[in-house]
Structure formats: C-alpha cells, structure tokens
Amino acid sequence: MAFDWIAGTALVVGMGSLYLTYQSTKSAKRAIDTSIELYEKQKQDAAHAEEISKKKQLQSLCYLIQNEVSSNIIHMSKFVTFCNIVWNEKLLSFNYNNLGSEPFLQYETENDIKDGFIFIKHSSKIIDKYLLEISKIDSELINELLKLRYTIEHYNDKFLISLQSFIKVNPPISDLITYLNDSKVFITEYQRQSMGVLEYCTKKSLGI
C-alpha cells in the first residue's frame, strides 16, 4: 500500500498546530498566573501602605488629643483635690472670689493647708475637630471620645455653672459636703474617662 503523502503531511501539520496551541496556551497561563501574582502583591503592598499611613495618622491625632486631655486633667486636679478634702470632711473655710479675669475659690483645711482652684471650662476643640477622621481609623478610640466629649460638655455647661452659682452664696460647709457628695459619681467618672483616653492616646502616639 503506497504512503499517502497528503494525509501524512496533514497529520504532521495538525500535530504541529496542536503543539503550538499547547505552547501558546501554556504561555498564556503563565502570563495569567504572573499577572495574578503581581495583582495580589500590589494589593498586599497597597494594604500595607494604607495600614502604615493610618498608623501614622492615628499617632498624630492621638498626640494632639493627648495634649488637650492632659491640659484638662491638670486644670481639674486642683478641683479634685478640693473635692477629696470636702468628701473627707477636712475643710475649715472657703471663699469665692471673682475679682480677677477668672473666678476662683480659696480654701483652708483643718491641717492649715491653704490652696484654691479656678473655675475654668475644659477644652474639646481638638476632639471636635478630628472626630470624623478618628471614626474612620480607630473604632475603640472614637467610642471613648464620644463619651468623653459628652462629659466635657456636661461639665462646662451644667456642672461648673451650677457649682459656681452654689458657692457664690457662701453656703454652710455641711451643705457643700452634701452638694459634692451628690456629684461624686459624675466627678470620678469624668476622671476615669479622661485618664483612660490619655493613657490610650499616649500609647498610640508612641506607636505602641
């Protein structure tokens, strides 16, 4: 039987075509796999860069909030000292004075210690300014800041004004003890919230 050159040639050409198709498909798969690997790496790099960016942003914001809350705590410390003296019934006398730029209270204890504090409102300007930014990068901090923001507002607009009005009339020490005892929960909670935010922001601002 004679060899069919036409059929043979067609077979060889067909096999060659299949091989070329296989090689082409193999190359295409390699290209796709490489593209996928590059895409995944780019995603990881982008996510890592975003994480670093958010961390740096949080550090900066926490530094600003730390300074504001720390300043409030310093202003409040003299008042809290006075409250502890009243709560422990060690107050001997007190005198309200509004002759200067800021009204203040002077007092003397049973141990002959003389001191005082200024009736000054606390700041929340930094907290107010950056609440939205913080809500996008730290869910734990934003929850604490919202609570602290409400407490500062209550302290400034209600508690401080009410206390000042009460002390102006020079009430008996026994009435002052009752008044501050009734406010003890609020005062100690404000302290707790402030110290909690300060500690958290200090750690974050240091990158801890």
Side-chain angles (χ1 to χ4, degrees):
M1 180 177 174
F3 179 73
D4 190 340
W5 287 101
I6 296 175
T9 301
L11 178 61
V12 171
V13 171
M15 290 179 65
S17 179
L18 286 172
Y19 178 74
L20 289 175
T21 301
Y22 168 74
Q23 288 295 102
S24 178
T25 302
K26 188 175 179 182
S27 297
K29 185 178 182 302
R30 276 202 303 267
I32 292 171
D33 289 343
T34 301
S35 297
I36 291 172
E37 288 175 5
L38 287 173
Y39 173 71
E40 291 297 330
K41 187 176 185 306
Q42 287 173 349
K43 273 207 315 182
Q44 291 174 2
D45 290 345
H48 182 61
E50 185 179 1
E51 184 180 345
I52 291 174
S53 176
K54 284 184 177 180
K55 184 176 180 180
K56 288 182 178 179
Q57 185 183 11
L58 183 61
Q59 281 181 289
S60 299
L61 293 174
C62 280
Y63 177 75
L64 295 173
I65 293 169
Q66 171 194 337
N67 287 339
E68 180 170 65
V69 174
S70 177
S71 178
N72 288 343
I73 290 172
I74 290 170
H75 287 313
M76 194 177 186
S77 62
K78 288 275 190 178
F79 171 63
V80 171
T81 298
F82 172 72
C83 287
N84 282 319
I85 290 167
V86 173
W87 290 332
N88 292 319
E89 300 185 8
K90 299 294 183 182
L91 183 65
L92 181 63
S93 64
F94 66 93
N95 179 50
Y96 176 81
N97 191 320
N98 63 351
L99 298 178
S101 58
E102 297 281 357
F104 64 95
L105 182 139
Q106 294 173 305
Y107 66 88
E108 184 176 353
T109 72
E110 293 178 354
N111 301 324
D112 297 325
I113 296 173
K114 295 180 180 180
D115 206 341
F117 66 90
I118 299 172
F119 289 89
I120 186 170
K121 289 189 174 184
H122 293 174
S123 174
S124 64
K125 290 180 180 178
I126 299 297
I127 294 174
D128 291 341
K129 185 176 181 179
Y130 295 111
L131 274 177
L132 181 59
E133 284 86 344
I134 292 170
S135 69
K136 297 175 182 177
I137 56 179
D138 194 315
S139 58
E140 181 178 352
L141 179 57
I142 190 63
N143 287 335
E144 294 306 314
L145 286 180
L146 287 172
K147 288 188 286 187
L148 180 59
R149 174 65 186 83
Y150 173 79
T151 302
I152 292 173
E153 183 178 6
H154 181 81
Y155 179 86
N156 289 339
D157 298 342
K158 294 182 181 180
F159 176 78
L160 196 63
I161 294 172
S162 175
L163 176 65
Q164 194 172 341
S165 298
F166 179 77
I167 288 179
K168 271 183 183 179
V169 300
N170 195 32
I173 290 178
S174 59
D175 289 352
L176 181 59
I177 292 172
T178 300
Y179 186 94
L180 289 181
N181 275 336
D182 290 342
S183 304
K184 191 172 185 177
V185 172
F186 170 74
I187 295 167
T188 53
E189 176 60 16
Y190 183 18
Q191 278 186 288
R192 187 197 66 78
Q193 289 179 11
S194 297
M195 292 305 298
V197 169
L198 178 63
E199 182 180 351
Y200 186 89
C201 286
T202 299
K203 288 181 179 179
K204 292 297 181 180
S205 65
L206 294 173
I208 299 175

